[in-house]
Amino acid sequence: FNYLFIGPLSEIENPGQRRVILIDALDECEHGNKNDILKCIRDHFDQLPTWLGVYVTTRPEAPIASQLKKFKPFELEPENQDNLNDVEIHFQHLLANELHASDEVMSKGVQVLVQKSKGLFIYASMASEKLKNMQRNGNEELTLKVLEEFPEGLDDFYRIQMERIAPDMESLEWRAVELATAAREPLHLETVQHLLQCSSKERKVVVAKLSRFFPIRDRKLQVYHKSVKDWLTNKERRDDAMFVDVKEVNKVFAGQCLEMMEQFQQESGGAAAEGDVVDQNTLAYFLRHGVAHLLEAGKRKDARRLVLNVKWLLARGGDGLGVMEDCKRFGSDDRTMVVLSQAIDLSLSDLRKDP
């Protein structure tokens, strides 16, 4: 932080007017259950020069709110009138300037959409995309009745779209949704294919169908918006068909992890079956997150055996920080893991030189 911010900024004269750093969607900066950007803001941003402000947007999740409370953040409720006014301006511009709606649609349709959005811009964004697609396809006239039949709120919108994507809970599409939701980082396409145990052609069809909510970037299956994941895992919906039980999906990851590591050991020992090659992207994922998935699935003994496996340690090793992180997952009551973590901690400088 000192090298990237404090040092360079200290050499800049006060410009005479406020400058602002904008950080959008802080709640979506979490990777592997860690949010390093949040930690950096919490620990260091009060050291910035007084002429430099920071504007952060995030959903008001308790862990984030508690860590930023010293900055006295302002919480904007979705149905706050100022926010609703902004959503109204958005729909007015869309209907008038982009879709060239009729006077009747303009007079009532804007308020219909604002009410359905409940002040959520993610709904406004999806509704806008749906309307633009309707216009491009030219298969339905834009009328007030069409707008009145739009989904009621984000939950209804997600439900309707998910039912179209994966109507069958045994389908590859739904299994891919479960995997992408429970994964600890975006899954590489090869890993998706490995976990689904499907062909390359089948995988391409699946990810194409999921692209609305799980777009592909850098050949990895991303979650379009954190609200999608929250909706799928909301325990108030546990009796719905389209509910992702993360613990159950962790069992799938755990089983695949154990199979992958057994295959990896056979291959590294020269005992792998012909044509049985470990996919490097999948191996890399399970090296980083296998222990976490095993513990989340309640397979503590398997997780412990994995951490104490020499071949796994060498493959996972790197600079040692990953192994230390896995050791800490077992808690302070596991003496063996505590000692292993301490030993690696003492060796960090040497590991950085020669892993």
Side-chain angles (χ1 to χ4, degrees), residues 181 228-237 243-244 246:
T181 302
V228 176
K229 186 174 180 178
D230 289 347
W231 180 78
L232 287 165
T233 58
N234 184 352
K235 291 185 178 179
E236 293 180 2
R237 298 180 51 259
F243 168 73
V244 175
V246 175

Side-chain angles (χ1 to χ4, degrees), residues 22-39:
L22 171 61
I23 301 174
D24 187 29
L26 179 62
D27 55 301
E28 298 198 37
C29 296
E30 183 178 289
H31 296 284
N33 289 337
K34 292 172 61 179
N35 193 328
D36 291 330
I37 296 179
L38 171 62
K39 184 179 178 182

